[in-house]
Amino acid sequence: MGRMELAQSYFPNILPRSAWQKFKSLLLDYPDLEGFATQRRRTFLPSEVNIIYRYLGQP
């Protein structure tokens, strides 16, 4: 899943880039998730999405 797509699922009423910035700051609030905020890939693996869902809940 693309990082912008995932971010927009959590913040559907704002622009994709703004949604990513808010989502990124949300990830940085959790020590176990902060690595996802700083990765260079633009996509998350299904296993990574499941980890994010476990911490943040389903959007």
Side-chain angles (χ1 to χ4, degrees):
M1 177 180 281
R3 65 183 185 185
M4 298 266 198
E5 179 185 357
L6 183 58
Q8 280 216 280
S9 68
Y10 281 94
F11 303 102
N13 297 322
I14 59 178
L15 295 172
R17 185 153 178 89
S18 298
W20 168 244
Q21 292 302 320
K22 281 187 87 159
F23 187 66
K24 186 176 175 179
S25 69
L26 184 63
L27 292 175
L28 291 171
D29 288 341
Y30 293 87
D32 291 339
L33 299 180
E34 65 184 49
F36 297 133
T38 58
Q39 72 181 9
R40 301 194 91 177
R41 284 186 287 123
R42 293 181 181 217
T43 59
F44 292 112
L45 300 172
S47 60
E48 294 171 333
V49 173
N50 288 332
I51 292 168
I52 292 169
Y53 284 169
R54 194 171 342 129
Y55 279 88
L56 303 180
Q58 293 271 345

